[in-house]
Amino acid sequence: MLELQGINTYRGQAQILRQVSLTVGEKESVCLVGRNGAGKTTTIDSIIGLLPLRAGKITFQGQDIGGLPAYRRARLGIGYAPEDAGLFPDLTVAENFQICRLLAKASGRAAQADERVFSVFPEVRQLTQRRGLFLSGGQKKMVAIARAMMLSPSILLLDEPFEGLAPVVVTRLINAVQKIKEMKLSVLIAESNLANASRVADRLYAIDRGEIIYHGDPRKVVENHEVMNIIRG
């Protein structure tokens, strides 16, 4: 489905990613775990085209997408919910959704049925006429993921979906991700909290200082004390 092969990415003059390789298979949930500044968001930004590669290769469904602009990657079926939600604050939730519906239509992809999205986030149905500016932090996260689903993507990229939220909201979003997995969508989640990642991941990668330092079963990473100490900072 998605494969990164030895990618190097810079922000300005600073090299952030060093030979990062990872894969996300069909209908698979993968978590990229690391402390703040480890390279998680840079990895996501590299995949969606917000940062250019200096080396390496990114393929999606067998196609090399490393040279494509961000909008063309989205049209291929890569859904994205950023850490800050990225909602248009002066548009209603319904209008935010409509942007992804139009993008899906322009790409020849059938727009996701509202009922399917609302089955994951029933709370959002009551928010459709509210402007993004007036949503709580948890509501913004839900709407951002729901909006990405409106694209009818083959894969969802979620950047820190549980960050900065109350524990009850985190649990609610973890349940939502588990429902998305049941819909057979592939998911790549960038996450700082190993416990949260372990609740949703089929496989786990740990990243530190821009390098992958662990790959495997999320339940077994706790046995690797060196990796655990790095993740915990």
Side-chain angles (χ1 to χ4, degrees):
M1 168 68 74
L2 175 69
E3 183 175 5
L4 280 61
Q5 300 175 331
I7 69 169
N8 292 343
T9 304
Y10 287 65
R11 289 188 183 272
Q13 299 300 312
Q15 183 174 2
I16 307 300
L17 300 185
R18 295 173 173 82
Q19 294 295 306
V20 168
S21 296
L22 63 81
T23 62
V24 182
E26 296 278 353
K27 307 174 185 178
E28 185 179 33
S29 176
V30 173
C31 278
L32 179 64
V33 178
R35 54 190 170 181
N36 291 338
K40 303 185 302 298
T41 294
T42 299
T43 301
I44 298 291
D45 287 350
S46 300
I47 295 169
I48 64 177
L50 295 183
L51 290 172
L53 302 182
R54 293 286 187 92
K57 185 177 182 180
I58 300 175
T59 56
F60 177 63
Q61 295 181 327
Q63 178 179 346
D64 185 347
I65 63 171
L68 297 180
Y71 77 92
R72 289 189 60 187
R73 301 188 199 197
R75 286 183 173 183
L76 291 175
I78 300 177
Y80 168 56
E83 180 179 357
D84 65 357
L87 303 180
F88 293 96
D90 292 326
L91 299 184
T92 65
V93 170
E95 290 167 338
N96 271 276
F97 286 172
Q98 185 63 11
I99 292 170
C100 276
R101 288 196 188 94
L102 293 173
L103 183 57
K105 183 177 180 180
S107 308
R109 305 174 67 84
Q112 184 68 267
D114 287 7
E115 290 306 316
R116 192 177 190 206
V117 175
F118 291 142
S119 71
V120 177
F121 297 109
E123 306 95 326
V124 172
R125 188 188 296 274
Q126 308 303 319
L127 304 174
T128 54
Q129 298 309 309
R130 189 177 301 181
R131 287 196 293 161
L133 184 64
F134 299 113
L135 299 176
S136 70
Q139 288 170 340
K140 288 179 179 178
K141 295 278 192 177
M142 292 183 192
V143 170
I145 299 172
R147 182 181 63 177
M149 292 179 67
M150 290 292 180
L151 182 65
S152 291
S154 301
I155 188 170
L156 277 175
L157 309 183
L158 309 181
D159 191 5
E160 298 282 10
F162 316 123
E163 180 72 18
L165 301 176
V168 65
V169 182
V170 170
T171 297
R172 172 66 191 91
L173 284 171
I174 286 174
N175 291 338
V177 172
Q178 290 168 341
K179 286 187 177 180
I180 291 170
K181 288 174 59 179
E182 293 171 2
M183 294 177 173
K184 309 304 183 184
L185 281 177
S186 297
V187 185
L188 174 62
I189 302 173
E191 173 58 37
S192 301
N193 187 298
L194 178 61
N196 291 338
S198 298
R199 294 170 67 181
V200 295
D202 300 319
R203 285 189 299 115
L204 181 143
Y205 291 86
I207 187 170
D208 186 60
R209 298 181 182 181
E211 298 181 4
I212 299 297
I213 59 171
Y214 174 86
H215 168 227
D217 188 328
R219 296 168 297 183
K220 293 183 178 180
V221 67
V222 294
E223 301 171 4
N224 190 318
H225 300 296
E226 181 179 357
V227 171
M228 288 295 296
N229 288 336
I230 291 173
I231 293 173
R232 289 170 175 167

